[in-house]
PDB file of all heavy atoms in Angstrom:
ATOM      1  N   GLN A  68      47.278-203.542  -9.375  1.00  0.00           N
ATOM      2  CA  GLN A  68      48.134-204.719  -9.419  1.00  0.00           C
ATOM      3  C   GLN A  68      49.048-204.688  -8.194  1.00  0.00           C
ATOM      4  O   GLN A  68      49.557-203.638  -7.815  1.00  0.00           O
ATOM      5  CB  GLN A  68      48.981-204.738 -10.694  1.00  0.00           C
ATOM      6  CG  GLN A  68      49.775-206.025 -10.867  1.00  0.00           C
ATOM      7  CD  GLN A  68      50.613-206.033 -12.137  1.00  0.00           C
ATOM      8  OE1 GLN A  68      51.090-204.996 -12.584  1.00  0.00           O
ATOM      9  NE2 GLN A  68      50.803-207.209 -12.721  1.00  0.00           N
ATOM     10  N   PHE A  69      49.242-205.840  -7.626  1.00  0.00           N
ATOM     11  CA  PHE A  69      50.048-205.956  -6.412  1.00  0.00           C
ATOM     12  C   PHE A  69      51.491-206.353  -6.775  1.00  0.00           C
ATOM     13  O   PHE A  69      51.784-206.717  -7.910  1.00  0.00           O
ATOM     14  CB  PHE A  69      49.414-206.978  -5.464  1.00  0.00           C
ATOM     15  CG  PHE A  69      48.005-206.627  -5.080  1.00  0.00           C
ATOM     16  CD1 PHE A  69      46.924-207.147  -5.774  1.00  0.00           C
ATOM     17  CD2 PHE A  69      47.753-205.744  -4.038  1.00  0.00           C
ATOM     18  CE1 PHE A  69      45.617-206.813  -5.439  1.00  0.00           C
ATOM     19  CE2 PHE A  69      46.445-205.409  -3.690  1.00  0.00           C
ATOM     20  CZ  PHE A  69      45.388-205.938  -4.405  1.00  0.00           C
ATOM     21  N   SER A  70      52.342-206.314  -5.777  1.00  0.00           N
ATOM     22  CA  SER A  70      53.762-206.579  -6.030  1.00  0.00           C
ATOM     23  C   SER A  70      54.013-208.015  -6.502  1.00  0.00           C
ATOM     24  O   SER A  70      55.025-208.303  -7.146  1.00  0.00           O
ATOM     25  CB  SER A  70      54.587-206.300  -4.764  1.00  0.00           C
ATOM     26  OG  SER A  70      54.132-207.080  -3.695  1.00  0.00           O
ATOM     27  N   ASN A  71      53.100-208.922  -6.212  1.00  0.00           N
ATOM     28  CA  ASN A  71      53.253-210.307  -6.691  1.00  0.00           C
ATOM     29  C   ASN A  71      52.586-210.501  -8.063  1.00  0.00           C
ATOM     30  O   ASN A  71      52.412-211.634  -8.496  1.00  0.00           O
ATOM     31  CB  ASN A  71      52.678-211.295  -5.680  1.00  0.00           C
ATOM     32  CG  ASN A  71      51.187-211.095  -5.451  1.00  0.00           C
ATOM     33  OD1 ASN A  71      50.591-210.181  -6.038  1.00  0.00           O
ATOM     34  ND2 ASN A  71      50.590-211.925  -4.621  1.00  0.00           N
ATOM     35  N   SER A  72      52.216-209.417  -8.709  1.00  0.00           N
ATOM     36  CA  SER A  72      51.582-209.371 -10.039  1.00  0.00           C
ATOM     37  C   SER A  72      50.100-209.735 -10.045  1.00  0.00           C
ATOM     38  O   SER A  72      49.447-209.573 -11.076  1.00  0.00           O
ATOM     39  CB  SER A  72      52.326-210.236 -11.068  1.00  0.00           C
ATOM     40  OG  SER A  72      53.605-209.702 -11.323  1.00  0.00           O
ATOM     41  N   ARG A  73      49.573-210.213  -8.946  1.00  0.00           N
ATOM     42  CA  ARG A  73      48.130-210.450  -8.881  1.00  0.00           C
ATOM     43  C   ARG A  73      47.399-209.128  -9.102  1.00  0.00           C
ATOM     44  O   ARG A  73      47.895-208.045  -8.754  1.00  0.00           O
ATOM     45  CB  ARG A  73      47.749-211.046  -7.535  1.00  0.00           C
ATOM     46  CG  ARG A  73      46.314-211.550  -7.447  1.00  0.00           C
ATOM     47  CD  ARG A  73      46.032-212.210  -6.100  1.00  0.00           C
ATOM     48  NE  ARG A  73      45.969-211.236  -5.025  1.00  0.00           N
ATOM     49  CZ  ARG A  73      44.889-210.530  -4.700  1.00  0.00           C
ATOM     50  NH1 ARG A  73      43.768-210.677  -5.380  1.00  0.00           N
ATOM     51  NH2 ARG A  73      44.925-209.677  -3.683  1.00  0.00           N
ATOM     52  N   SER A  74      46.236-209.215  -9.721  1.00  0.00           N
ATOM     53  CA  SER A  74      45.512-208.001 -10.055  1.00  0.00           C
ATOM     54  C   SER A  74      44.050-208.109  -9.612  1.00  0.00           C
ATOM     55  O   SER A  74      43.492-209.211  -9.553  1.00  0.00           O
ATOM     56  CB  SER A  74      45.576-207.751 -11.563  1.00  0.00           C
ATOM     57  OG  SER A  74      44.830-206.601 -11.936  1.00  0.00           O
ATOM     58  N   GLU A  75      43.481-206.988  -9.310  1.00  0.00           N
ATOM     59  CA  GLU A  75      42.053-206.899  -9.004  1.00  0.00           C
ATOM     60  C   GLU A  75      41.434-205.849  -9.892  1.00  0.00           C
ATOM     61  O   GLU A  75      42.068-204.840 -10.246  1.00  0.00           O
ATOM     62  CB  GLU A  75      41.831-206.527  -7.539  1.00  0.00           C
ATOM     63  CG  GLU A  75      42.138-207.634  -6.562  1.00  0.00           C
ATOM     64  CD  GLU A  75      41.836-207.240  -5.129  1.00  0.00           C
ATOM     65  OE1 GLU A  75      41.627-206.039  -4.855  1.00  0.00           O
ATOM     66  OE2 GLU A  75      41.822-208.142  -4.270  1.00  0.00           O
ATOM     67  N   MET A  76      40.159-206.091 -10.203  1.00  0.00           N
ATOM     68  CA  MET A  76      39.376-205.123 -10.952  1.00  0.00           C
ATOM     69  C   MET A  76      38.135-204.801 -10.136  1.00  0.00           C
ATOM     70  O   MET A  76      37.515-205.717  -9.571  1.00  0.00           O
ATOM     71  CB  MET A  76      38.971-205.716 -12.282  1.00  0.00           C
ATOM     72  CG  MET A  76      38.371-204.711 -13.230  1.00  0.00           C
ATOM     73  SD  MET A  76      37.585-205.507 -14.633  1.00  0.00           S
ATOM     74  CE  MET A  76      35.915-205.512 -14.069  1.00  0.00           C
ATOM     75  N   ASN A  77      37.795-203.532 -10.061  1.00  0.00           N
ATOM     76  CA  ASN A  77      36.636-203.107  -9.288  1.00  0.00           C
ATOM     77  C   ASN A  77      35.665-202.357 -10.184  1.00  0.00           C
ATOM     78  O   ASN A  77      36.079-201.537 -11.022  1.00  0.00           O
ATOM     79  CB  ASN A  77      37.100-202.218  -8.128  1.00  0.00           C
ATOM     80  CG  ASN A  77      35.956-201.824  -7.220  1.00  0.00           C
ATOM     81  OD1 ASN A  77      35.247-200.859  -7.491  1.00  0.00           O
ATOM     82  ND2 ASN A  77      35.758-202.577  -6.164  1.00  0.00           N
ATOM     83  N   VAL A  78      34.404-202.667 -10.024  1.00  0.00           N
ATOM     84  CA  VAL A  78      33.361-201.899 -10.706  1.00  0.00           C
ATOM     85  C   VAL A  78      32.421-201.361  -9.635  1.00  0.00           C
ATOM     86  O   VAL A  78      31.853-202.148  -8.863  1.00  0.00           O
ATOM     87  CB  VAL A  78      32.567-202.734 -11.721  1.00  0.00           C
ATOM     88  CG1 VAL A  78      31.642-201.842 -12.542  1.00  0.00           C
ATOM     89  CG2 VAL A  78      33.500-203.517 -12.632  1.00  0.00           C
ATOM     90  N   SER A  79      32.252-200.052  -9.586  1.00  0.00           N
ATOM     91  CA  SER A  79      31.366-199.448  -8.590  1.00  0.00           C
ATOM     92  C   SER A  79      30.045-199.075  -9.247  1.00  0.00           C
ATOM     93  O   SER A  79      29.946-198.977 -10.472  1.00  0.00           O
ATOM     94  CB  SER A  79      32.030-198.212  -7.991  1.00  0.00           C
ATOM     95  OG  SER A  79      32.250-197.243  -8.995  1.00  0.00           O
TER      96      SER A  79
END
Side-chain angles (χ1 to χ4, degrees):
Chain A
Q68 186 180 32
F69 302 95
S70 58
N71 62 358
S72 293
R73 190 177 71 84
S74 177
E75 287 183 347
M76 190 192 97
N77 184 276
V78 188
S79 62

